[in-house]
Amino acid sequence: MRTLTLGLLLAVRGDRAARVRFLLMAFGCAVGVACLAAVLCIPTIVAAHDARAALRDTVPARGTDAQHMDGLPLSMELSDPFGSRPVIRVFVARSGTGEGPTPPGVKRLPGPGEVLVSPALRSLLTEAPGLKGGLPGRITGTIGSAGLTGPDELYAYVGRTPQQLAHTSAEKVLRYGGRNAPRDTVDGQTLDILRFTLCCLVLLPLFVYLSVCVRLSAEPRARRLAALRLLGLSARDTVRVSAVESVCAASLGAVMGLGLYLVGNAVVAGTGWAGLAWYPADGLPSASTLVACLLGCPALAHVAGWRHAREAALRPLSVRRREHERRPRSWLAALLVLPGLGVVTAYCVLGLVGKAPGPSAATSFLVPAGALLTGAGLILALPPATAWLARRVAERTQRVSLTLAMRHHEAHPGMALRVVSGLVLLVYAASLTQGVLIEMDQVSRRDAPNQEYSVPYDRLSAPQLRRMKQVRGVDGHAVSGNFTDREEGVLVATCAQLSMFVIPGSMKGCVDGEILAIHDPDVPLDPKQLAGTRHTLRLRDGTGGPAGGRLLTVPRRVVTVSVAQPSAVSGAFVLVPPSALPAGTHPAGAGLLLSSASGPETVRAVLDGLAAVSPTTEITPQGIVIESLHQLSVIKGLLSTGMVLGLGVGVAAFLVSTADHAMSRRTRTAALTLLGIRPGTLRAAQSAQVVLPLAFGLVAALCTGKLAESSYLVTGGGTIFWDTAGIPLLLVSTLAVLAVATVACLPLARRHLDPEALRKD
């Protein structure tokens, strides 16, 4: 009890510097715990989304249940794109007099002519009233939060009669609530990649940051513990006093951090800023997260301070006399760096020689393990490596400022390291994250030079047709139609328009103004076998009414093209120029085909533009599932959130460590000033003391980060192995970090002496 009381008194009743250090430790741990809780709660939020979707999923009545149970409602679900977001419409019809089962968030199923919508869809209807065309009936209510996956979901229940759903794919609903969600918010494999990336991007820097926070002012605290030991306190009690002080600050910081996370969760949850919107209750920390934050942070504080407290208890005179620190143990860093670098380098060599292993169970384990070992070993290797480098620089330099900086860093390599470690890990994780984003972009996007969109022609007015062709990003358009006696049809387009739908350079033999047969070597149909046959093409006028027919003969002249599959162009074997049809007519059942670049950002922009022209028209992007596109935006949003958290952790570690560095060096700065060292020389020495390990660490982080990134790309199954496009951005970021760190260290040297600091020394 005496030890506990003494530790608490030293923590809260010391001098002003001690109180500032205590508050700095507490606030630093609070920021770290808030970031830790945010990372640990991301899988919880994703699981809550899937659980909500599973609760409203329908369990259809099969066999005898459907035949003998009356009063079961009918249900049919349709999903349409509104830009890059899915609009889900569930058509329901009550049968009999009973209500039957009802989905969560709904008091009763809507009757014929009634519509229940989500709050987000209700707001969207005011901005895009054209969406109301797909919701026949009047809006009579709003779906509750229990029946939605998130506050931004576009969802509706549309009431119909059983006769209206009789000849559709509607099924009788036995109950609501399935075991699994019909569509995962993030699939399992992608979620594993997300966890690995967040570990490298946030958790590694966070571990270092928390270690920095609980080791603030290590030298003054060690000397104070040594003084207590010399005054008669036992070695065990000395260690306990240090543990009480560290654990109290860390515990207070953990509680504050959880409170900070809860406030942030309430503010950010419904905004969708993180790439995903959720209800604040879904983001509450789980029991394991609470244990990790409330117990993990104090435990880390105790472990981080135990070695230095034990040294002060066993060697108090050495600590009081400020003997040189023990040389860093290079063997521990080698145990982590060598296996990690060995793994990532081996995969890079395999990629260079053209023997990339591709995705497998072994690579799924070895590559993340190699990246994590390399990142951890990078930090442990910095003290011995920079101490050796400082000794070599000090032996060869003639400048006083550089000599002071190098000799001090050689004697105390751990002090400056606490300043730079967070920024070094941030650059390492940023390089690795670039590789993850590149690999996800390769896997998720359509492997084609262009992206096609199909829109029903007859559902568009003339102004809408014109505006759709002018949507930003659309670079080609054509019209498809079918013959009356064949599944294959025609493509109404000029040669220039056709060239926008085929692989560049593959079109040969096209002549404007002539009807030509289309031949794709990859399509089984050979138009030469149909040359000379006659087929009827029915036409419609601009109002959609019949405009007669046109008898076409399949020509012998062929235009050869190569089209990336899937493509609507493959369904046509005759190219008809627009001038060959009567003015103002188009094929019956025609579809408007549009083309754009295949980049994800371009695809999303085009979908948004097309939806703005005609919100209720079904837009079919060839080869793309809207849910997959939405999932990609969710993943990118979560990774961007992780990068922001990692940046915050790195900057916070630097600011906290810089403040601690300034407090720790006051006595030494005052003594050097008293000896006649000019303030400019002291500022240069202090900047050099930080810049040397930071520059060395950033260069090492760039090299090892690119190796880890390349090993991930080599084993990911994509075509890009070497991310040369991302190097300029990393170099610019590294130089900016170095410049900011240099400037931030300049105000540490003062012009006036601090008598209190000299008196304490």
Side-chain angles (χ1 to χ4, degrees), residues 28 38 44 52 77 79 144 153 234 352 380 406 412 525 552-553 684 698 705 712 750:
T44 303
R52 287 175 173 271
E77 179 180 309
S79 181
E153 188 177 25
S234 66
L352 280 174
L380 292 179
M406 296 302 101
H412 306 281
L525 179 65
L552 293 178
T553 302
L698 292 179
Y712 184 84
R750 301 179 180 180

Side-chain angles (χ1 to χ4, degrees), residues 208-390:
V208 175
Y209 169 65
L210 290 176
S211 300
V212 167
C213 290
V214 300
R215 288 292 302 132
L216 289 177
S217 301
E219 185 180 349
R221 291 168 62 195
R223 296 183 70 234
R224 185 175 58 185
L225 292 174
L228 292 176
R229 180 73 177 94
L230 292 174
L231 289 175
L233 197 65
S234 66
R236 179 179 297 179
D237 288 343
T238 302
V239 175
R240 288 177 178 175
V241 168
S242 174
V244 168
E245 184 179 5
S246 299
V247 170
C248 285
S251 299
L252 178 60
V255 175
M256 294 169 57
L258 282 176
L260 185 62
Y261 166 74
L262 292 176
V263 172
N265 175 58
V267 173
V268 176
T271 62
W273 175 77
L276 188 68
W278 66 92
Y279 293 103
D282 294 340
L284 294 178
S286 61
S288 58
T289 301
L290 291 175
V291 170
C293 294
L294 295 178
L295 298 183
C297 185
L300 177 62
H302 174 67
V303 172
W306 177 81
R307 184 174 69 86
H308 292 274
R310 187 171 179 271
E311 185 177 0
L314 298 180
R315 302 170 59 223
L317 287 176
S318 299
V319 173
R320 290 296 299 177
R321 292 170 181 171
R322 289 183 177 176
E323 292 185 357
H324 285 204
E325 293 182 4
R326 295 179 181 178
R327 289 189 176 183
R329 300 173 180 176
S330 56
W331 61 268
L332 183 58
L335 286 179
L336 295 177
V337 171
L338 294 180
L341 277 180
V343 169
V344 298
T345 305
Y347 281 119
C348 291
V349 172
L350 290 176
L352 280 174
V353 299
K355 296 183 178 180
S360 65
T363 57
S364 299
F365 171 76
L366 289 177
V367 173
L372 291 175
L373 287 176
T374 303
L378 175 65
I379 296 302
L380 292 179
L382 282 180
T386 54
W388 176 85
L389 182 61

Side-chain angles (χ1 to χ4, degrees), residues 406-612:
M406 296 302 101
R407 290 304 183 188
H408 184 267
H409 182 70
E410 180 187 357
H412 306 281
M415 182 176 295
L417 182 65
R418 288 194 291 272
V419 179
V420 305
S421 55
L423 298 178
V424 170
L425 269 181
L426 179 62
V427 172
Y428 173 80
S431 179
L432 187 59
T433 304
Q434 278 187 343
V436 174
L437 290 175
I438 290 173
E439 185 62 35
M440 290 187 62
D441 186 51
Q442 291 184 91
V443 173
S444 59
R445 72 182 177 190
R446 184 169 179 252
D447 187 16
N450 67 302
Q451 174 62 51
E452 294 181 17
Y453 312 86
S454 178
V455 187
Y457 197 96
D458 292 331
R459 294 190 60 181
L460 301 174
S461 62
Q464 287 176 328
L465 285 170
R466 184 173 60 255
R467 289 171 57 193
M468 279 199 171
K469 296 174 184 178
Q470 297 172 351
V471 167
R472 185 176 181 180
V474 173
D475 51 21
H477 60 87
V479 178
S480 65
N482 292 327
F483 290 115
T484 58
D485 56 344
R486 293 194 63 88
E487 294 182 358
E488 299 84 9
V490 300
L491 187 70
V492 182
T494 63
C495 291
Q497 292 171 344
L498 176 62
S499 66
M500 305 307 298
F501 290 87
V502 303
I503 297 176
S506 66
M507 188 173 68
K508 298 178 182 179
C510 189
V511 180
D512 276 321
E514 291 190 17
I515 299 176
L516 302 171
I518 302 176
H519 175 55
D520 187 345
D522 297 327
V523 176
L525 179 65
D526 188 356
K528 295 180 180 179
Q529 299 176 358
L530 300 176
T533 59
R534 301 167 68 87
H535 305 278
T536 302
L537 181 67
R538 294 192 180 278
L539 300 177
R540 292 187 179 275
D541 56 21
T543 62
R550 174 72 185 272
L551 195 63
L552 293 178
T553 302
V554 179
R556 296 186 181 278
R557 297 192 63 175
V558 173
V559 53
T560 303
V561 298
S562 181
V563 182
Q565 300 298 334
S567 171
V569 177
S570 301
F573 69 99
V574 176
L575 177 66
V576 178
S579 58
L581 298 180
T585 63
H586 60 272
L592 175 65
L593 301 182
L594 303 170
S595 174
S596 75
S598 60
E601 300 299 330
T602 303
V603 172
R604 280 196 292 270
V606 170
L607 285 172
D608 290 337
L610 297 178

Side-chain angles (χ1 to χ4, degrees), residues 76 78-80 87-91 114-117 121 125 128-139 155-160 459 614-618:
M76 179 185 66
L78 294 178
S79 181
D80 304 312
V87 179
I88 302 176
R89 297 174 294 158
V90 180
F91 294 89
E114 297 179 339
V115 181
L116 302 178
V117 297
L121 182 55
L125 286 174
L131 280 174
K132 189 65 177 61
L135 304 171
R138 58 187 180 88
I139 298 176
Y155 204 87
Y157 289 101
V158 182
R160 308 296 280 169
R459 294 190 60 181
S614 180
T616 58
T617 302
E618 183 179 359

